Amino acid sequence: MIEIGRYNDLRITTKTENGLILTDGENEVLLPYVDVPKNVEIGENINVFVYMHKDGRLLGTSKKPLACVGDFAFLTVVDDGEDGVFMDIGLDKDIYVPQREQKRPMFKGDSHVVYIFLDESNSRMVASSRLTNFVEEEDIDLEEGDEVSLLIVDRSDLGFNAIIDNKYIGLLYTNELFEQLQPGETRKGWVKKIRVEGKIDLSLQPMGYGHILENKDVILDELKYAGGVIHLGDKSSPEEIYQRFKISKSAFKKVIGGLYKDRLITIGDHEIKLFIDEEAE
């Protein structure tokens, strides 16, 4: 069965004046000559993206769209319609966002994270910025500490919402961020906490003791490279610490606390130093 809005492996059956006819054995797809790769022959299989033309025909293309059906993506509005807008999806045909599927009004030139799905009435690709209608909220297949892929959605009162692994939605808290984020950015993140109600708290830093061990080596190497002194300590600001080591202040304090217990460094309010054993000297 041909999957509209996705890539399909189809067999070339015939040539027409408009292009190649492809089939999955049941349905036919027209691949216009402008999209036909070189050196393909009748009887061969070809992988194409399939979408529904406005006249109801199935069309194939060798172009790569910015997103497929089932994807969340950051797209730009390129035109206004009477009852909705059109967004650039990287094909000759733009994708439609009806007014009812707009979380807030969209205007030409705006960019938004949207979800791509098929309109059940006509099998055409459409998009929606009402993301919570499409994320999975039950049977969350994640554990605290998991590394995940994040698509930054928008800013809320508490921080930034982000799509997780193209399935779930979670939150990065403002007070745990030490850099600017922008909607549409993709980031590596970690699951900080999964709440009873299914809400997911996220972090841009790894969780767990393994991360602490890793950063111990990083900070020791930096100390040696800096001649034994780094001007960051217990009372340094979170921004200064993040700018140097890309970790939170709480993680930094855990790392230097461990190094201090191991008698590898001394700690001051605004500096740390490699420990020198004067008795050994």
Side-chain angles (χ1 to χ4, degrees), residues 145-158:
D146 281 356
E147 180 179 319
V148 291
S149 173
L150 303 178
L151 171 61
I152 307 303
V153 176
D154 57 13
R155 189 174 193 120
S156 71
D157 292 339
L158 297 176

Side-chain angles (χ1 to χ4, degrees), residues 82-262:
E82 292 184 5
D83 300 309
V85 300
F86 294 88
M87 305 186 88
D88 178 19
I89 197 171
L91 301 174
D92 295 333
K93 174 183 171 62
D94 299 320
I95 192 165
Y96 186 56
V97 188
Q99 284 184 357
R100 66 179 181 277
E101 293 295 343
Q102 298 175 29
K103 183 178 178 181
R104 53 179 174 269
M106 294 181 175
F107 303 97
K108 187 175 181 178
D110 291 347
S111 296
H112 301 267
V113 174
V114 294
Y115 180 77
I116 313 300
F117 65 103
L118 288 183
D119 187 328
E120 293 181 356
S121 67
N122 55 26
S123 295
R124 293 194 178 97
M125 294 170 60
V126 290
S128 174
S129 61
R130 297 184 181 276
L131 307 183
T132 54
N133 293 341
F134 302 96
V135 295
E136 297 181 22
E137 297 180 328
E138 298 180 0
D139 300 323
I140 296 173
D141 188 20
L142 292 173
E143 293 183 2
E144 293 178 8
D146 281 356
E147 180 179 319
V148 291
S149 173
L150 303 178
L151 171 61
I152 307 303
V153 176
D154 57 13
R155 189 174 193 120
S156 71
D157 292 339
L158 297 176
F160 282 88
N161 296 306
I163 295 296
I164 307 165
D165 288 347
N166 204 47
K167 289 184 180 180
Y168 315 106
I169 194 164
L171 181 65
L172 291 157
Y173 288 90
T174 300
N175 62 355
E176 296 175 0
L177 295 173
F178 308 104
E179 59 185 305
Q180 292 295 318
L181 294 179
Q182 297 295 331
E185 282 188 71
T186 55
R187 291 295 189 97
K188 180 165 64 175
W190 285 264
V191 177
K192 181 178 179 182
K193 187 173 183 178
I194 300 176
R195 300 184 178 275
V196 176
E197 64 274 23
K199 296 186 181 298
I200 304 171
D201 295 345
L202 299 166
S203 173
L204 293 182
Q205 291 98 38
M207 305 288 105
Y209 191 62
H211 180 49
I212 301 301
L213 291 176
E214 177 185 326
N215 279 302
K216 277 187 177 182
D217 292 335
V218 171
I219 289 178
L220 281 176
D221 288 344
E222 282 285 307
L223 275 165
K224 292 170 185 175
Y225 181 78
V229 180
I230 291 176
H231 295 290
L232 292 171
D234 268 343
K235 294 188 178 179
S236 297
S237 71
E239 291 76 17
E240 291 175 304
I241 292 167
Y242 189 85
Q243 185 176 13
R244 182 69 178 266
F245 292 113
K246 296 295 183 286
I247 58 176
S248 65
K249 183 171 182 177
S250 62
F252 175 75
K253 292 183 72 171
K254 287 178 184 177
V255 174
I256 64 174
L259 292 172
Y260 178 78
K261 287 181 181 178
D262 293 339

